[in-house]
Amino acid sequence: MKTYEETTRSILERAETEKAQLRKKNRVIRTVAAFASVAIIAAASVFGIRAFMKSAPHYTTDYKAEYKDSFKVSWAEAPGTIDECIERAQIVAEIKILGLATVYTPVLDTSDRGELKFLPESIYVGEIVKEFKNETKQDEYVYILRFGSPEASATGSHVLMPGERMVMFLKQTDYDRPVDEYPIYYNSFSCPFQELYIYEYDGKEYAVPYTMQNFMPRNMATVSADIASEINSISGLYRWYDDVYEYDAVKSYITDAVNK
Amino acid sequence: MDNGAGSYRRFREDGDAEGMAELVREYRDGLILYLDTFVRDIPAAEELAEDVFVLLAVKKPVYKAKSSFKTWLYAIGRNTALDHLRKARRRGEIPLENCGELHADGETLEESFIREERRIAVHRAMRSLPADQRQIIWLMYFEKLTASDAARIMKRSPHAAETLAYRARKALKQKLTEEGFEYEDL
């Protein structure tokens, strides 16, 4: 085993080497990405991603008023300028970034009554890596966002760590549904986006929506009775989830992401 | 209390190499033994721990103090270990789960980091547990983290972490009993 001094020296030397390699790679990527980024961000704006995010029914008027500046703060604090964010994201992810989207993630508090909350820290800035149009439903899109770096993941109650992989679906049409149609727990699951954590369990990799994690069978015994009764009624979650998977392209994208 | 945050800040913001040296001295050994709960291979765990520090040095992620520095560092370590295992599996390497023997370096590390003989016995016995049980025992028993911090590192709810810890302790006690130990601290 190395001594502490040897380890430190090795770390600093490797860091210098990797930084030099990143700078070299960055120069190439920047050249290729410069034109594409501008065009793609413009395209993303056309699709109104930011607009429909802000108009999400979950994002109540009062909440908007109270936290209207959070969006700007998160945007400003997390990635720096848009160009800088894209530049860094590409270095980290080595994937083609289509643009950026801001996502409001509901925080489901399972410690007491499972109250659904929207908090400023649950605002994410992620990279749009894929856009799919539903051929069978007019004006319906599914966006896949990727959060692969701490810079791009902004803040959150579940801050992503370097190396962690997460894919988030955004399904545009669900924003049209009145929020009051759903009971509170179901509401959290039927929100128009889902994060997929790709994680390992029992030797296999699974892509599991974040909001499902606390309700997976292995945790059923730990939730209170009233929440458990609600769980019995969330089959809609799976249907919703399956609904997203109706898109073959999405399926294959996720399969690739899991196997990558 | 969590001096790692200060050391990391000095390294990150001022480029103070001594800050990194302090992090290595403070956290390297514990991190290696934690990563060993994933890979059960001390030399591989040592390399992974170095990878974690290199990541800090290259990407310089922001530590936002939402948890202790150690919790944050170990969460990064967990992701690094999982990535390593994914890659190893894709390369078709023999699953490291099959490597149960403790390397000589591991024994040295145990003696210097864990120190107490009976706790070393516990550490050796826990190598027979499933990976997630090894991890929770390491975090809560050896690193003295709370269930909440352990849950944060392992990406579980605090309830799930407590349940896992309960099962792990039970399995570990049984293992120790089979080997003729009595250990009331578990």
Side-chain angles (χ1 to χ4, degrees), chain A residues 1-5 7-8 10-12 14-15 18-19 22 92 121 150-151 154-157 159 161-165 197-201 203 205 213-214 218-219 222 259-260, chain B residues 11 17 20-21 24-25 28-29 32 42 46-47 50-51 53-55 57-61 64 66 72 75-76 79 82-83 85-86 89-90 105 109 152 155-157 159-160 163:
Chain A
M1 178 152 315
K2 292 176 185 172
T3 63
Y4 295 132
E5 290 70 27
T7 300
T8 305
S10 171
I11 289 164
L12 296 175
R14 279 182 57 193
E18 290 195 19
K19 277 192 255 184
L22 278 176
V92 173
E121 61 265 32
E151 290 87 353
T155 58
S157 59
V159 178
M161 299 294 180
E164 184 169 5
R165 295 185 294 167
Y197 278 91
I198 297 168
Y199 83 112
E200 180 181 289
Y201 181 71
E205 280 185 331
Q213 287 195 86
N214 285 337
R218 62 192 165 86
N219 289 342
T222 67
N259 293 329
K260 201 168 181 179
Chain B
F11 173 76
M20 177 56 76
V24 169
R25 284 195 294 272
R28 186 196 70 169
D29 293 352
I32 290 173
I42 287 289
E46 187 183 1
E47 281 180 31
E50 191 171 306
D51 289 346
F53 288 115
V54 169
L55 187 148
V58 174
K59 296 183 179 160
K60 298 188 173 173
K64 291 176 181 169
K66 292 196 168 188
W72 182 74
I76 296 174
N79 292 327
L82 291 178
D83 271 354
L85 292 174
R86 283 190 195 102
R89 203 163 42 245
R90 278 201 297 276
D105 276 349
L109 200 55
R152 191 185 282 263
K155 297 278 189 290
R156 292 178 182 231
S157 70
H159 272 313
T163 306

Side-chain angles (χ1 to χ4, degrees), chain A residues 110-111 199 201 210 212-224, chain B residues 78 131-137 139-140 146-169:
Chain A
T110 55
S111 61
Y199 83 112
Y201 181 71
Y210 175 79
M212 280 177 65
Q213 287 195 86
N214 285 337
F215 296 95
M216 292 180 70
R218 62 192 165 86
N219 289 342
M220 285 289 277
T222 67
V223 300
S224 60
Chain B
R78 175 182 180 272
D132 55 354
Q133 293 187 3
R134 291 199 300 270
Q135 287 156 36
I136 198 81
I137 289 285
L139 294 173
M140 291 180 66
T146 62
S148 173
D149 278 341
R152 191 185 282 263
I153 292 172
M154 295 181 72
K155 297 278 189 290
R156 292 178 182 231
S157 70
H159 272 313
E162 281 169 6
T163 306
L164 178 63
Y166 170 76
R167 288 178 185 154
R169 282 194 194 101

